[in-house]
Amino acid sequence: MGLTVNEDKAYSKNEEAVKLLVIGSGPAGLSAALYAARADLEPVVLTGMTMGGQAALTHLIENYPGFPEGLGGAELGDLFRAQAERFGTKVVYDTAIDVDFSQRPYRVETYNSIYVAETLIITTGATPRHLDIPGEAKFTGKGVSYCGTCDGFFFKDKEIVVVGGGDSSLEESIFLSRFASKVTIVHRRDELRGGKILQDRAFANEKINFIWDSVLEEIKGDDQVTNVTIKNVKTGDVSDFETEGVFIFIGHIPNSELFEGKLELDDAGYLVVNNLMETDKPGVYAAGEIADSHFRQVITSAGMGAAAAIQATRFLESEE
Ligand code: NAP
């Protein structure tokens, strides 16, 4: 059976048979590839749009064991990749655009090829959640950003607003304070969700200020952001606040659109896996943030990836 979407152009693409296809190149995907390569499965990794996943956009990772001084997310991603490639992983800069799980081997169409895969490990991760307020889309890239590491440099000596009270918001605010003259964290409650170490660092940082119990209602500007409308959710007061940048860190949405109706998803859109990383299709596994709304750490994602690869290996062995 052919692919349901893009069928017209699909037949002109090369087909490649693989024992294991890994969709995604973050810590889960590259750890899965490392384990699978060492089991001789010759895995192919589709990088997706961001080689290294969200971790690669993190300025400094201090909680991945083995690196006591911490290291950059992109640097860690390069090391993961080099280790996976050393044992025979093929990393392909391409993105899955359609999947057919109706029969094994499963078919995955990318922009350039069709992979016919005996097993699959899905590690497509998650994307930053948007506020969905007026001005947010219009000013994205013109003062609105979801990545401090990517855009912080553009805000040298400028005043910026950060939205969110979780670890990401605190970690990014601390990073952004290297560039910005002032960082104002707007949080919808009067208590932070982020961990104590990051809270202590943020409170001790002279450039970081807080506006509590408040939400952004609108982002305004001309060519670039110039100000935001802030509402105090307790008093109902609405005020205008001048700022040149708005960084939004309010959680993530799983990248599972491709699998809707094809694999079991939970109510929030995360892929459902059991403790063996198995989805509801035989030989299809998921690991990392696409299947984990709870831990979301480099080490937990890497562990899930390794577990998925071990399970895929056992599954293929059981068929021999
Ligand atoms: P998160 O923990 O879900 O925090 C999201 C924050 O955004 C919360 O403070 C939440 O407010 C706020 N928020 C959500 N929707 C909002 C809305 N529509 N308007 C205004 N505010 C909104 O997300 P995260 O910070 O991205 O962290 C995700 C996971 O990654 C967590 O498990 C975290 O521990 C982990 N992480 C760890 C590290 C680290 O260990 N260094 C770094 C980054 C992330 P409420 O608090 O009121 O819900």
Side-chain angles (χ1 to χ4, degrees):
M1 185 186 290
L3 290 152
T4 49
V5 182
N6 301 314
E7 196 145 13
D8 289 347
K9 62 183 174 66
Y11 57 78
S12 62
K13 293 180 179 177
N14 277 340
E15 280 194 15
E16 186 174 340
V18 293
K19 283 183 235 169
L20 171 66
L21 183 69
V22 179
I23 308 180
S25 59
L30 292 172
S31 301
L34 168 65
Y35 271 72
R38 286 174 56 80
D40 252 355
L41 298 191
E42 300 165 330
V44 171
V45 173
L46 300 178
T47 58
M49 300 305 274
T50 318
M51 170 68 213
Q54 287 185 89
L57 301 175
T58 305
H59 170 66
L60 180 65
I61 295 177
E62 291 185 307
N63 51 11
Y64 192 77
F67 300 93
E69 305 304 322
L71 80 172
E75 196 185 343
L76 183 59
D78 287 346
L79 292 171
F80 278 174
R81 176 187 173 156
Q83 197 169 356
E85 285 181 329
R86 185 182 148 208
F87 296 101
T89 296
K90 186 170 142 195
V91 175
V92 180
Y93 283 87
D94 205 350
T95 299
I97 55 171
D98 196 12
V99 293
D100 179 359
F101 292 156
S102 59
Q103 60 182 25
R104 279 189 71 223
Y106 302 119
R107 293 167 72 84
V108 176
E109 184 184 355
T110 68
Y111 288 118
N112 298 315
S113 308
I114 291 173
Y115 292 90
V116 182
E118 287 176 49
T119 57
L120 271 160
I121 299 180
I122 298 166
T123 66
T124 46
T127 302
R129 184 185 298 282
H130 293 189
L131 281 169
D132 293 328
I133 55 170
E136 183 180 13
K138 180 179 172 191
F139 290 109
T140 294
K142 296 173 181 170
V144 172
S145 171
Y146 304 87
C147 177
T149 311
C150 316
D151 298 327
F153 188 75
F154 300 119
F155 295 86
K156 204 163 169 35
D157 300 324
K158 294 183 176 172
E159 296 194 7
I160 60 167
V161 160
V162 169
V163 185
D167 281 329
S168 298
S169 162
L170 297 176
E171 198 169 66
E172 297 275 356
S173 294
I174 293 162
F175 174 71
L176 287 165
S177 70
R178 291 163 168 239
F179 308 100
S181 54
K182 183 177 170 194
V183 178
T184 302
I185 298 179
V186 179
H187 182 37
R188 63 184 179 183
R189 294 186 293 135
D190 60 1
E191 200 183 343
L192 295 168
R193 181 178 292 280
K196 188 169 179 325
I197 292 179
L198 287 172
Q199 285 198 30
D200 290 348
R201 281 190 201 165
F203 288 136
N205 188 315
E206 285 180 356
K207 284 188 180 174
I208 298 179
N209 304 272
F210 291 85
I211 297 181
W212 302 105
D213 298 317
S214 297
V215 294
L216 261 57
E217 284 204 320
E218 188 175 355
I219 300 169
K220 296 188 271 194
D222 32 58
D223 286 348
Q224 296 279 325
V225 170
T226 55
N227 49 338
V228 290
T229 308
I230 297 178
K231 180 181 178 180
N232 184 304
V233 293
K234 282 196 172 152
T235 64
D237 288 349
V238 176
S239 56
D240 229 37
F241 190 87
E242 283 188 17
T243 185
E244 290 182 82
V246 181
F247 284 80
I248 299 165
F249 305 111
I250 58 164
H252 296 87
I253 295 171
N255 298 324
S256 57
E257 216 170 289
L258 200 57
F259 310 108
E260 275 171 24
K262 297 176 177 175
L263 294 173
E264 187 187 354
L265 309 182
D266 69 14
D267 291 345
Y270 288 87
L271 286 180
V272 175
V273 291
N274 62 17
N275 63 355
L276 300 177
M277 303 299 123
E278 293 167 331
T279 67
D280 58 341
K281 284 274 183 288
V284 180
Y285 307 84
E289 280 200 30
I290 186 64
D292 167 31
S293 61
H294 188 71
F295 295 113
R296 321 182 69 161
Q297 302 294 300
V298 175
I299 187 169
T300 50
S301 290
M304 288 172 82
I310 291 169
Q311 204 53 32
T313 307
R314 289 181 183 160
F315 174 79
L316 289 172
E317 278 169 2
S318 74
E319 291 190 317
E320 278 169 7

